[in-house]
């Protein structure tokens, strides 16, 4: 049995319907840690130095044209850092 919570993960083996509590393993890495790793990975993909990324937040698209046709024409700039952070979180949960 694997239980992944926000703050940690617990694995308990089950043999023939019996829990083996002596073999139980715990880890401090849970959903919060995993979300943080995903967030950092997304930020590295969207950094200005990464020119090959095809991931673009929805708010930056002006229309439904393909990004490969003319990327700069389809993008809008939003400078509000709160809006950008919200859009990044929204994108993180879509991916």
């Amino acid at each position: 049995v694997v239980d992944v919570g926000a703050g940690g993960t617990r694995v308990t083996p089950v043999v023939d319907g019996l829990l083996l509590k002596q073999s139980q393993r715990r880890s401090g890495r849970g959903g919060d840690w995993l979300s943080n790793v995903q967030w950092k990975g997304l930020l590295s993909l969207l950094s200005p130095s990464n020119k090959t990324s095809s991931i673009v937040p929805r708010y930056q698209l002006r229309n439904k044209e393909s990004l490969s046709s003319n990327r700069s024409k389809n993008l809008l700039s939003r400078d509000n850092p709160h809006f950008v952070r919200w859009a990044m979180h929204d994108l993180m949960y879509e991916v």
Side-chain angles (χ1 to χ4, degrees):
V1 177
V2 178
D3 176 35
V4 179
T9 301
R10 181 179 296 191
V11 179
T12 306
V14 177
V15 178
D16 293 329
L18 299 172
L19 294 174
L20 302 177
K21 290 192 176 188
Q22 306 86 356
S23 301
Q24 191 176 66
R25 297 289 179 243
R26 298 177 190 168
S27 171
R29 293 181 174 174
D32 291 340
W33 172 81
L34 190 58
S35 293
N36 191 30
V37 169
Q38 185 181 9
W39 175 253
K40 288 180 181 178
L42 184 62
L43 286 179
S44 69
L45 284 175
L46 296 175
S47 69
S49 62
N50 187 1
K51 301 293 184 195
T52 62
S53 176
S54 64
I55 298 176
V56 178
R58 241 186 304 171
Y59 79 91
Q60 288 185 335
L61 296 175
R62 179 175 297 177
N63 53 31
K64 293 184 179 182
E65 290 179 9
S66 172
L67 287 176
S68 61
S69 63
N70 189 351
R71 185 180 176 107
S72 62
K73 185 172 84 173
N74 292 336
L75 298 180
L76 297 172
S77 71
R78 303 270 176 117
D79 296 329
N80 185 342
H82 299 292
F83 182 79
V84 172
R85 186 168 174 84
W86 171 82
M88 296 276 285
H89 273 282
D90 187 44
L91 179 63
M92 183 176 82
Y93 289 111
E94 283 184 11
V95 173

